[in-house]
Amino acid sequence: MVDPMEFRRTLGRFATGVTVVAAYDEGGNPRGLTANAFMSVSLDPPLVLVSLDNRSRTKPVLERAGRYGVSILGEEQRALSDHFAGRPQEGLAIVFVERAGAPVLEGALAEVVARVVEAHPAGDHTLFIGQVEHLAYREGRPLLYYAGRYARLGE
């Protein structure tokens, strides 16, 4: 038997970047959440994957929208990560821009928009595989997550 907290602590030793995954709701408003479960799947065709908790309010939005934007955050965007992780930040300017029919955060280190091509239930999460329809990046330092807290890239 694997203890869930020990599982979480062990896998937390895998350093990841931090993203905000967003989609438009039925009213055309962007809805998003902070996620570090994002990865590339294939170069040909270009596919990416995001994993969303089945209890997430963003999951049904993404299912209906059929496409999602992934904003890969820079280290100066920690407040955005906290906000979309359910810790609202007073006075935070949140600016979404539309790219290829999905919302991404203005000023993100990188942005990817994907059209959902497959969704796979996986335990308490759903894996959304998307075909990339837009991507862009800028130079900068990534916001990292390691062992349950934010981290910085060393020199």
Side-chain angles (χ1 to χ4, degrees):
M1 188 71 131
V2 175
D3 175 66
M5 289 312 295
E6 194 64 15
F7 181 72
R8 181 181 210 118
R9 282 190 293 271
T10 300
L11 294 184
R13 293 326 190 250
F14 181 64
T16 65
V18 180
T19 71
V20 171
V21 177
Y24 287 122
D25 67 14
E26 290 176 333
N29 301 303
R31 300 286 178 225
L33 60 88
T34 298
N36 62 352
F38 167 72
M39 63 181 279
S40 73
V41 174
S42 168
L43 291 175
D44 187 18
L47 300 174
V48 293
L49 177 148
V50 294
S51 176
L52 300 186
D53 189 311
N54 291 330
R55 298 169 298 172
S56 157
R57 292 183 306 224
T58 303
K59 179 185 171 269
V61 172
L62 194 152
E63 287 172 325
R64 280 192 301 276
R67 64 182 354 94
Y68 55 87
V70 178
S71 302
I72 299 171
L73 301 182
E75 67 181 13
E76 74 282 3
Q77 296 175 307
R78 180 175 172 173
L80 286 168
S81 173
D82 286 340
H83 179 83
F84 286 99
R87 295 182 297 279
Q89 305 293 297
E90 183 99 11
L92 180 64
I94 301 169
V95 180
F96 281 100
V97 293
E98 183 169 322
R99 305 279 195 248
V104 294
L105 287 166
E106 184 174 73
L109 188 61
E111 57 189 50
V112 177
V113 172
R115 176 178 45 83
V116 176
V117 294
E118 294 180 48
H120 298 280
D124 58 5
H125 280 61
T126 299
L127 310 177
F128 293 94
I129 298 174
Q131 182 155 352
V132 175
E133 297 184 337
H134 165 81
L135 46 80
Y137 68 92
R138 66 175 173 84
E139 295 303 318
R141 297 173 61 81
L143 181 61
L144 299 178
Y145 200 71
Y146 176 77
R149 64 181 83 154
Y150 295 108
R152 289 182 175 253
L153 191 62
E155 294 301 318

